[in-house]
Amino acid sequence: MTYVCYQQHGEAEEMTQLVNELILEWLEAGQVKIQMIYDQQPSKAPGVIRLGRDPARCDILLSHPTVSGLQAEIFFDPKQNGFWLRSLRDSNPAIVDGKRLTEGEALLRQGGAILLGQLQLKIVQITIAPLTIPPTVLGAPTGNPSAPSPPTTPPTEGVGQTYGLMCPMCHQVSSYECLETGCCWCGTSLAAAASILMVPN
């Protein structure tokens, strides 16, 4: 299990977060290469790690001549709690565990294999962080998680109640419309965001 530490706004306070990771291994030009992939990892295309020969478009560069410039992408799906591969070339499709991936996506499994052109990548390890349900926090509509202000009297159900998602990275509050696209401020996935009940002042 990998832990990632974040420092917020230059303060000494750090928060530690479990992350999901996948480790690939392959032989290229006589050398064993190892690459770790994390969900929410910075990349050239947000939310995915791209594989291929083109350094301008790919995060993992593969120099084998049978690999396409932009061959495939790997991403973590929090709804299905797993890493998936999407082939990006119909004329040179990826093969996952012996199955040619001409359309759609394939779930990646520990011990499995990915064939890109004639280059085989082994899935050495997959670590999935345990699912946790973030707490619902009753707070002020400012989105400031450090100073929640619970109401003195409970609000009338359905009247003036608005929910938001507190980003696990920047702690800003986004609307539920941002759930699929990520935090409106920093772009971080909101899959693990805390649900915040916004109470009007």
Side-chain angles (χ1 to χ4, degrees), residues 7 70 103 108 114 130 133 144 150 161 166 170 197:
Q7 190 168 7
L70 178 59
E103 62 181 34
L108 300 177
I114 302 167
I133 300 171
N144 181 357
Q161 292 183 347
M166 183 172 55
C170 71
L197 175 59

Side-chain angles (χ1 to χ4, degrees), residues 70-73 85-90 92-95 101-106 116:
L70 178 59
Q71 179 92 35
E73 58 190 18
L85 182 130
R86 180 182 300 125
S87 186
L88 300 175
R89 289 291 167 256
D90 292 338
N92 187 14
I95 298 174
L101 193 60
T102 54
E103 62 181 34
E105 300 149 354
L116 302 178

Side-chain angles (χ1 to χ4, degrees), residues 69-137:
L70 178 59
Q71 179 92 35
E73 58 190 18
I74 294 175
F75 61 96
F76 183 79
D77 184 342
K79 291 179 185 173
Q80 297 186 17
N81 206 31
F83 284 94
W84 293 76
L85 182 130
R86 180 182 300 125
S87 186
L88 300 175
R89 289 291 167 256
D90 292 338
S91 60
N92 187 14
I95 298 174
V96 178
D97 296 331
K99 181 184 173 203
R100 186 175 300 274
L101 193 60
T102 54
E103 62 181 34
E105 300 149 354
L107 177 64
L108 300 177
R109 299 183 189 332
Q110 185 166 311
I114 302 167
L115 193 62
L116 302 178
Q118 294 177 0
L119 181 66
Q120 181 175 335
L121 296 90
K122 296 176 189 170
I123 304 166
V124 177
Q125 181 178 335
I126 295 177
T127 306
I128 305 296
L131 289 174
T132 58
I133 300 171
T136 298
V137 178

Side-chain angles (χ1 to χ4, degrees), residues 2-186:
T2 301
Y3 296 86
V4 178
C5 295
Y6 299 102
Q7 190 168 7
Q8 180 184 351
H9 308 294
E11 300 169 3
E13 177 184 334
E14 291 185 348
M15 66 179 195
T16 303
Q17 175 182 10
L18 293 171
V19 295
N20 303 300
E21 73 178 357
L22 175 140
I23 301 175
L24 293 174
E25 180 182 286
W26 68 96
L27 186 64
E28 191 170 27
Q31 293 185 342
V32 174
K33 305 273 186 165
I34 297 174
Q35 180 70 49
M36 290 185 216
I37 298 174
Y38 304 98
D39 67 328
Q40 301 180 27
Q41 169 176 334
S43 63
K44 294 182 180 181
V48 298
I49 300 298
R50 291 190 164 168
L51 297 88
R53 285 186 336 220
D54 185 355
R57 298 183 293 166
C58 297
D59 303 292
I60 297 177
L61 298 178
L62 306 167
S63 62
H64 197 279
T66 62
V67 175
S68 298
L70 178 59
Q71 179 92 35
E73 58 190 18
I74 294 175
F75 61 96
F76 183 79
D77 184 342
K79 291 179 185 173
Q80 297 186 17
N81 206 31
F83 284 94
W84 293 76
L85 182 130
R86 180 182 300 125
S87 186
L88 300 175
R89 289 291 167 256
D90 292 338
S91 60
N92 187 14
I95 298 174
V96 178
D97 296 331
K99 181 184 173 203
R100 186 175 300 274
L101 193 60
T102 54
E103 62 181 34
E105 300 149 354
L107 177 64
L108 300 177
R109 299 183 189 332
Q110 185 166 311
I114 302 167
L115 193 62
L116 302 178
Q118 294 177 0
L119 181 66
Q120 181 175 335
L121 296 90
K122 296 176 189 170
I123 304 166
V124 177
Q125 181 178 335
I126 295 177
T127 306
I128 305 296
L131 289 174
T132 58
I133 300 171
T136 298
V137 178
L138 187 59
T142 62
N144 181 357
S146 62
S149 56
T152 53
T153 59
T156 307
E157 188 171 330
V159 177
Q161 292 183 347
T162 305
Y163 285 87
L165 296 168
M166 183 172 55
C167 175
M169 179 70 77
C170 71
H171 300 289
Q172 295 292 330
V173 177
S174 297
S175 68
Y176 274 92
E177 288 81 28
C178 297
L179 182 60
E180 295 296 320
T181 58
C183 176
C184 299
W185 284 271
C186 71

